[in-house]
Amino acid sequence: MLFPIFVVVTLAEIYVLVSVGQAIGGLSTVLLVVVTAFIGSSLLRQQGWSTMAKAQQSMSEGRTPAIEMMEGVVILVSGILLLTPGFLTDALGLLGLMPWSRSYFINHFLEKNAERVFKQRNSVFINRASSSEKKSNKDDTIEGEFWEDK
């Protein structure tokens, strides 16, 4: 499934580069690709540091930085797309660096995959406390065993 995507994207990039090159000239096309790479790299650096700061803030507040880690993955993929020469990959990479579109990508991914993750029934928890040991106090430690079936 991945190979046809690479072939189609590569052919589309070549077509767009040739079309733009015919419209504005070869040197101007190369300069435009280089300029978009510089703009993308500065945005990549800025958004990367911003996401790192948000992750550190979450950890200092005692929360797991799950969303920030997912944002980091989107930023990483966006950086890879920006390093790939071409206008289509640059456009997708720049979209991944915009906070509003990045949150859209993450929400879309979670909507598609959350059900698959949370419906897996391959983990088991057994509580071996006797009925005399069970208390209603929330501060008590619960002894038990946990394992995941693979």
Side-chain angles (χ1 to χ4, degrees):
M1 178 65 189
L2 210 53
F3 181 72
I5 292 173
F6 283 128
V7 170
V8 169
V9 169
T10 302
L11 291 175
E13 285 288 2
I14 291 171
Y15 177 76
V16 170
L17 283 171
V18 168
S19 298
V20 171
Q22 287 176 346
I24 65 173
L27 183 62
S28 298
T29 303
V30 171
L31 288 175
L32 191 57
V33 169
V34 170
V35 167
T36 58
F38 279 122
I39 291 171
S41 67
S42 66
L43 275 173
L44 179 66
R45 185 179 306 115
Q46 175 196 9
Q47 292 298 313
W49 284 114
S50 171
T51 302
M52 178 72 82
K54 288 193 296 188
Q56 289 175 343
Q57 179 69 27
S58 293
M59 287 188 290
S60 69
E61 293 173 357
R63 293 183 291 124
T64 304
I67 297 295
E68 289 81 5
M69 291 180 352
M70 293 176 73
E71 285 183 351
V73 169
V74 173
I75 290 171
L76 175 69
V77 170
S78 298
I80 292 169
L81 288 172
L82 285 169
L83 288 176
T84 306
F87 294 115
L88 298 177
T89 54
D90 285 351
L92 280 175
L94 289 174
L95 277 177
L97 293 179
M98 303 297 166
W100 54 270
S101 61
R102 187 169 55 233
S103 65
Y104 172 78
F105 291 146
I106 291 170
N107 289 337
H108 184 70
F109 174 79
L110 288 176
E111 286 173 1
K112 291 281 187 185
N113 295 306
E115 185 175 327
R116 182 182 323 157
V117 170
F118 292 118
K119 278 198 171 186
Q120 290 181 355
R121 299 187 187 273
N122 60 354
S123 60
V124 177
F125 178 78
I126 300 173
N127 183 6
R128 295 193 178 180
S130 66
S131 60
S132 63
E133 295 175 358
K134 294 181 182 177
K135 299 177 183 175
S136 63
N137 191 353
K138 290 189 240 177
D139 296 334
D140 287 344
T141 302
I142 299 173
E143 294 184 27
E145 296 179 17
F146 173 83
W147 68 88
E148 289 187 25
D149 295 332
K150 293 185 181 183

